[in-house]
Amino acid sequence: MPSKPQAPTMSTEILKALANPLRRQVWNEVSELRYARAADLAQRLGTPANTLSFHLRVLAEAGLIEEAPEKARDRRDRVWKPTRGALSLGSPDNPVTDIALGDAVLAGTVADHQRLLTRVADWALKYATGEDPVERGTLAGYTLRLSRERFSELVERLDGVIDEYRDADEEGHTWRLSVIAASDEI
């Protein structure tokens, strides 16, 4: 099986952009909506549009979003879309460029995942008891005994499957999928 390249490592500009909690939330919202104006985000986030315009420009300068002129109503209308999928904080081969910024981004990402896990856990009991019969998520755990090489292969295959399903259903719901893996060494 051909090896898929790892997700790009976050540059200092990306780390600076995502270290800010509001910008991380704006990036997540743009990714969820696929196309958004500052006014759309202002309504969703309860933040003034002019504040969001500043943060959108910072995200654009970092290369995380870009304008989508094909979705604009006129030349003054600024519509944004995400430019990237997965990003890596760093690795031994491509270490994080700024430890303090990396720590801030990691802490924010962990907090985002904790909020997501709490929402899924709150819903899961309602689903399991029949109170909410609509499947809105999943909470599953797997234990696998794999070599490091086989684990890397599994992650590459999962990345391929995710890419295959990314934006497959134009009118579907946005699903946030987090995969957390840890060896018995952690």
Side-chain angles (χ1 to χ4, degrees):
M1 176 173 72
S3 178
K4 182 178 181 232
Q6 285 188 314
T9 300
M10 293 182 191
S11 65
T12 301
E13 293 76 25
I14 291 172
L15 290 169
K16 285 179 182 177
L18 295 179
N20 180 287
L22 179 58
R23 279 196 290 268
R24 203 174 46 259
Q25 189 176 15
V26 169
W27 184 49
N28 286 332
E29 290 291 324
V30 171
S31 296
E32 182 176 324
L33 294 170
R34 295 182 55 228
Y35 299 99
R37 294 170 178 80
D40 304 328
L41 296 166
Q43 186 175 12
R44 286 177 70 108
L45 300 174
T47 303
N50 61 346
T51 300
L52 291 171
S53 291
F54 166 77
H55 290 294
L56 286 163
R57 284 191 304 275
V58 172
L59 290 168
E61 288 168 8
L64 292 164
I65 63 171
E66 64 186 3
E67 285 194 62
E70 70 278 8
K71 297 290 184 179
R73 292 177 277 216
D74 58 43
R75 282 206 234 152
R76 294 182 314 153
D77 189 26
R78 295 185 87 177
V79 181
W80 300 94
K81 65 182 179 181
T83 59
R84 298 191 183 257
L87 290 167
S88 169
L89 183 60
S91 69
D93 294 334
N94 295 301
V96 66
T97 55
D98 184 307
I99 294 172
L101 285 174
D103 187 49
V105 170
L106 185 57
T109 301
V110 167
D112 293 345
H113 283 83
Q114 287 172 330
R115 284 189 293 276
L116 177 62
L117 181 58
T118 298
R119 289 196 329 261
V120 171
D122 289 346
W123 163 83
L125 186 58
K126 293 175 186 164
Y127 183 74
T129 61
E131 183 182 338
D132 183 350
V134 179
E135 186 172 23
R136 301 176 196 277
T138 188
L139 188 56
Y142 307 93
T143 302
L144 307 170
R145 188 158 191 79
L146 302 170
S147 66
R148 291 185 202 290
E149 293 78 21
R150 292 277 291 162
F151 176 75
S152 293
E153 179 186 321
L154 173 62
V155 170
E156 286 177 18
R157 289 183 67 189
L158 287 172
D159 284 347
V161 170
I162 297 300
D163 285 345
E164 186 180 318
Y165 282 84
R166 192 178 313 278
D167 298 327
D169 299 333
E170 290 290 323
E171 300 301 318
H173 293 281
T174 299
W175 297 83
R176 295 204 184 268
L177 177 65
S178 296
V179 177
I180 299 172
S183 75
D184 52 6
E185 301 162 309
I186 295 180

